[in-house]
Amino acid sequence: MEQDDAKLQFDENGNLRHLLSLKGIDAILLTELLDDAEGYLTAPGALPARSQSLAGRTVGNLFFEPSTRTRASFDLAGRRLGADVLNLDVNTSSRKKGESILDTIYTLEAMQVDVMVVRDASDGVPAYIARNVKDHVSVLNAGESDVSHPTQGLLDLMTIRQHNPDFKNMTVAIVGDIQHSRVARSASEALQTMGIGELRLISPPALAPDAGRFPGARIVDNIADGLKDADVVMALRIQRERIGNLDGVPGIDEYFANYGVSYENMKFAKPDAIVMHPGPMNRGIEIEGALADGPRSVITRQVTNGVAVRMAVLDRIGRIMSTQ
Ligand code: CP
């Protein structure tokens, strides 16, 4: 099924039509998207980059789970490319009256929404929508259960590449709730495609990933081993909304001491290692607040890159719309 979803992303000419997963996106396309995104960055204090490449098109944001960064950045990205952007308020939408997801999609299609940006708590929803929309409509996955968050993976890859483009000689350590993390999944897919030297996934045993979910990664339960000489350290939030039972997960103080990304634990990583976090952060649990705000942190850069990456993705799918 996932292999089919990877193919579903491309039209009959091999152009990107939907972005459902980073699986199936090769190193050439990843690099092109990152290069395009770099072109949308401007200096601090300068006006943001703009174009009219999506003028006349409409982007619909359908977030059936909470979001700040992804939703706001898709909104800004669409507007900065000249599109109309519709932010559906799910809490007051007719989904609350029992309308199906497809009926919601068909309703927006009838209003000439061209791009559906979808976040949902259930597996498979973005691909399901992609299989059912009209030929000219594109679907972008903005976070799917614990499965995939492809634009987050792209912005993380971009941020890592800005620190060091030599993926093959790099160690990336991701620390936290790996089992429930779509961020870790998409980052892992992107990094493996780029030929990452070593990817380590560090978590307490209760939050370790199921076997086979992260091919090529090293699963570690000790932070000293996991962060040893790492070039990049990414902290992840515990996804409480996806965990029925917290049995076996250490309490806050124990968790922070053993799995928190802190000044104390960063002594194991390389002296110039960067600190990442996809947000939202729980300071004092998975990351030390002062470290998140300090010079090694690239967390706000990730957010800035997020707008640029979403502009690059929207522009790319807009190119095939302009030929239809
Ligand atoms: N990183 C991320 O997806 O953040 P939001 O949930 O705020 O969109």
Side-chain angles (χ1 to χ4, degrees), residues 63 65-73 119 142-143 149 152 155 182-183 237 277-280 310:
F63 280 67
E65 271 194 326
S67 170
T68 296
R69 280 148 284 272
T70 313
R71 178 171 154 158
S73 57
R119 170 172 287 192
H149 193 351
Q152 180 72 44
L155 77 87
R182 57 195 178 203
V183 172
R237 179 177 70 87
H277 193 304
R310 285 157 186 139

CSV table of all heavy atoms in Angstrom, one decimal, residues 63 65-73 119 142-143 149 152 155 182-183 237 277-280 310, ligand 1:
chain,number,residue,atom,x,y,z
A,63,PHE,N,-7.1,21.1,8.6
A,63,PHE,CA,-6.4,20.6,9.7
A,63,PHE,C,-7.3,20.0,10.7
A,63,PHE,O,-8.0,20.7,11.5
A,63,PHE,CB,-5.5,21.7,10.3
A,63,PHE,CG,-4.2,21.9,9.5
A,63,PHE,CD1,-4.3,22.5,8.3
A,63,PHE,CD2,-3.0,21.6,10.1
A,63,PHE,CE1,-3.1,22.7,7.5
A,63,PHE,CE2,-1.8,21.8,9.3
A,63,PHE,CZ,-1.9,22.3,8.1
A,65,GLU,N,-6.4,18.1,13.1
A,65,GLU,CA,-5.6,18.0,14.3
A,65,GLU,C,-5.0,19.4,14.5
A,65,GLU,O,-4.8,20.1,13.5
A,65,GLU,CB,-4.4,17.0,14.1
A,65,GLU,CG,-4.7,15.6,14.5
A,65,GLU,CD,-3.4,14.8,14.6
A,65,GLU,OE1,-2.4,15.2,13.9
A,65,GLU,OE2,-3.3,13.9,15.4
A,66,PRO,N,-4.7,19.7,15.8
A,66,PRO,CA,-4.2,21.1,16.0
A,66,PRO,C,-2.8,21.3,15.3
A,66,PRO,O,-2.1,20.4,15.1
A,66,PRO,CB,-3.9,21.1,17.6
A,66,PRO,CG,-4.8,20.0,18.1
A,66,PRO,CD,-4.9,19.0,17.0
A,67,SER,N,-2.6,22.6,15.0
A,67,SER,CA,-1.3,23.0,14.4
A,67,SER,C,-1.1,24.5,14.6
A,67,SER,O,-2.1,25.2,14.5
A,67,SER,CB,-1.3,22.6,12.9
A,67,SER,OG,-0.2,23.2,12.3
A,68,THR,N,0.1,24.9,14.8
A,68,THR,CA,0.5,26.3,14.7
A,68,THR,C,1.4,26.5,13.5
A,68,THR,O,1.1,27.2,12.5
A,68,THR,CB,1.2,26.8,16.0
A,68,THR,OG1,0.3,26.7,17.0
A,68,THR,CG2,1.7,28.2,15.8
A,69,ARG,N,2.6,25.8,13.5
A,69,ARG,CA,3.6,26.1,12.5
A,69,ARG,C,3.2,25.7,11.1
A,69,ARG,O,3.3,26.4,10.1
A,69,ARG,CB,4.9,25.3,12.9
A,69,ARG,CG,5.7,26.0,13.9
A,69,ARG,CD,6.5,24.9,14.8
A,69,ARG,NE,5.5,24.4,15.7
A,69,ARG,CZ,5.2,24.9,16.9
A,69,ARG,NH1,6.0,25.9,17.3
A,69,ARG,NH2,4.3,24.4,17.6
A,70,THR,N,2.7,24.4,11.0
A,70,THR,CA,2.4,23.9,9.6
A,70,THR,C,1.3,24.7,9.0
A,70,THR,O,1.4,25.1,7.8
A,70,THR,CB,2.1,22.4,9.7
A,70,THR,OG1,3.1,21.8,10.5
A,70,THR,CG2,2.1,21.8,8.3
A,71,ARG,N,0.2,24.9,9.7
A,71,ARG,CA,-0.9,25.6,9.2
A,71,ARG,C,-0.6,27.0,8.8
A,71,ARG,O,-0.9,27.5,7.7
A,71,ARG,CB,-2.1,25.5,10.2
A,71,ARG,CG,-3.3,26.2,9.7
A,71,ARG,CD,-4.5,26.0,10.7
A,71,ARG,NE,-5.4,27.1,10.6
A,71,ARG,CZ,-6.7,27.0,10.9
A,71,ARG,NH1,-7.2,25.9,11.4
A,71,ARG,NH2,-7.5,28.0,10.8
A,72,ALA,N,0.1,27.7,9.8
A,72,ALA,CA,0.4,29.1,9.5
A,72,ALA,C,1.4,29.2,8.3
A,72,ALA,O,1.2,30.1,7.5
A,72,ALA,CB,1.0,29.8,10.7
A,73,SER,N,2.3,28.3,8.2
A,73,SER,CA,3.3,28.4,7.1
A,73,SER,C,2.7,28.0,5.8
A,73,SER,O,3.0,28.7,4.8
A,73,SER,CB,4.6,27.6,7.4
A,73,SER,OG,4.3,26.3,7.6
A,119,ARG,N,-4.2,17.6,7.4
A,119,ARG,CA,-3.6,17.0,8.6
A,119,ARG,C,-4.7,16.2,9.2
A,119,ARG,O,-5.9,16.7,9.4
A,119,ARG,CB,-3.1,18.0,9.5
A,119,ARG,CG,-2.7,17.4,10.9
A,119,ARG,CD,-2.0,18.4,11.8
A,119,ARG,NE,-0.7,18.6,11.3
A,119,ARG,CZ,0.3,19.3,12.1
A,119,ARG,NH1,0.0,19.6,13.3
A,119,ARG,NH2,1.5,19.5,11.6
A,142,ALA,N,0.0,17.3,5.5
A,142,ALA,CA,0.5,18.2,6.5
A,142,ALA,C,0.6,17.6,7.9
A,142,ALA,O,0.7,18.2,8.9
A,142,ALA,CB,-0.4,19.4,6.6
A,143,GLY,N,0.7,16.2,7.9
A,143,GLY,CA,0.8,15.5,9.1
A,143,GLY,C,-0.2,14.4,9.2
A,143,GLY,O,-1.4,14.7,9.3
A,149,HIS,N,5.1,13.1,7.8
A,149,HIS,CA,4.9,14.6,7.8
A,149,HIS,C,6.0,15.1,6.8
A,149,HIS,O,7.0,15.7,7.2
A,149,HIS,CB,5.2,15.1,9.3
A,149,HIS,CG,4.8,16.5,9.6
A,149,HIS,ND1,4.4,17.4,8.6
A,149,HIS,CD2,4.8,17.2,10.7
A,149,HIS,CE1,4.1,18.6,9.2
A,149,HIS,NE2,4.4,18.5,10.5
A,152,GLN,N,7.6,18.6,6.9
A,152,GLN,CA,8.5,18.7,8.1
A,152,GLN,C,9.8,18.1,7.8
A,152,GLN,O,10.9,18.6,8.1
A,152,GLN,CB,7.8,18.1,9.3
A,152,GLN,CG,8.7,18.2,10.6
A,152,GLN,CD,8.8,19.6,11.2
A,152,GLN,OE1,7.8,20.3,11.3
A,152,GLN,NE2,10.0,20.0,11.6
A,155,LEU,N,11.8,20.4,5.6
A,155,LEU,CA,12.4,21.6,6.3
A,155,LEU,C,13.5,21.1,7.2
A,155,LEU,O,14.5,21.8,7.4
A,155,LEU,CB,11.3,22.4,7.0
A,155,LEU,CG,10.7,21.9,8.3
A,155,LEU,CD1,11.5,22.4,9.5
A,155,LEU,CD2,9.3,22.4,8.4
A,182,ARG,N,5.7,11.0,13.6
A,182,ARG,CA,5.7,11.1,12.1
A,182,ARG,C,6.9,12.0,11.7
A,182,ARG,O,7.4,11.9,10.6
A,182,ARG,CB,4.4,11.7,11.6
A,182,ARG,CG,4.0,13.1,12.2
A,182,ARG,CD,2.6,13.4,12.0
A,182,ARG,NE,2.1,14.6,12.6
A,182,ARG,CZ,0.8,14.9,12.9
A,182,ARG,NH1,-0.1,14.0,12.7
A,182,ARG,NH2,0.5,16.0,13.3
A,183,VAL,N,7.4,12.9,12.6
A,183,VAL,CA,8.5,13.7,12.2
A,183,VAL,C,9.7,12.9,12.1
A,183,VAL,O,10.5,13.0,11.1
A,183,VAL,CB,8.7,14.8,13.4
A,183,VAL,CG1,10.0,15.6,13.1
A,183,VAL,CG2,7.5,15.8,13.4
A,237,ARG,N,9.0,15.8,21.1
A,237,ARG,CA,7.9,15.8,22.1
A,237,ARG,C,7.3,14.4,22.3
A,237,ARG,O,7.2,13.6,21.4
A,237,ARG,CB,6.8,16.8,21.6
A,237,ARG,CG,5.7,17.0,22.5
A,237,ARG,CD,4.7,18.0,21.8
A,237,ARG,NE,4.1,17.6,20.6
A,237,ARG,CZ,2.9,16.9,20.6
A,237,ARG,NH1,2.3,16.6,21.7
A,237,ARG,NH2,2.4,16.6,19.5
A,277,HIS,N,14.4,21.0,17.0
A,277,HIS,CA,13.1,20.5,17.6
A,277,HIS,C,12.0,20.9,16.6
A,277,HIS,O,12.0,22.1,16.2
A,277,HIS,CB,12.9,21.1,18.9
A,277,HIS,CG,11.8,20.5,19.7
A,277,HIS,ND1,10.5,20.4,19.3
A,277,HIS,CD2,11.8,19.9,21.0
A,277,HIS,CE1,9.7,19.7,20.2
A,277,HIS,NE2,10.5,19.5,21.2
A,278,PRO,N,11.1,20.0,16.2
A,278,PRO,CA,10.1,20.4,15.2
A,278,PRO,C,9.0,21.4,15.8
A,278,PRO,O,8.3,22.0,15.1
A,278,PRO,CB,9.4,19.1,14.9
A,278,PRO,CG,9.6,18.2,16.1
A,278,PRO,CD,11.0,18.6,16.6
A,279,GLY,N,8.9,21.4,17.2
A,279,GLY,CA,7.9,22.2,17.8
A,279,GLY,C,6.5,21.4,17.7
A,279,GLY,O,6.4,20.6,16.8
A,280,PRO,N,5.6,21.6,18.6
A,280,PRO,CA,5.7,22.5,19.8
A,280,PRO,C,6.6,21.8,20.9
A,280,PRO,O,6.6,20.6,20.9
A,280,PRO,CB,4.2,22.6,20.3
A,280,PRO,CG,3.6,21.4,19.7
A,280,PRO,CD,4.2,21.1,18.4
A,310,ARG,N,7.5,25.1,2.0
A,310,ARG,CA,6.1,24.9,1.6
A,310,ARG,C,5.8,25.8,0.4
A,310,ARG,O,5.0,25.4,-0.5
A,310,ARG,CB,5.1,25.3,2.8
A,310,ARG,CG,5.1,24.1,3.7
A,310,ARG,CD,4.8,24.3,5.1
A,310,ARG,NE,5.0,23.1,5.9
A,310,ARG,CZ,5.6,23.0,7.1
A,310,ARG,NH1,5.9,24.1,7.8
A,310,ARG,NH2,5.8,21.8,7.7
B,1,CP,N1,6.1,20.8,13.7
B,1,CP,C1,4.7,20.8,13.6
B,1,CP,O1,4.1,20.1,12.8
B,1,CP,O2,4.2,21.8,14.3
B,1,CP,P1,2.6,22.2,14.4
B,1,CP,O3,1.9,21.0,15.0
B,1,CP,O4,2.5,23.4,15.2
B,1,CP,O5,2.2,22.4,13.0
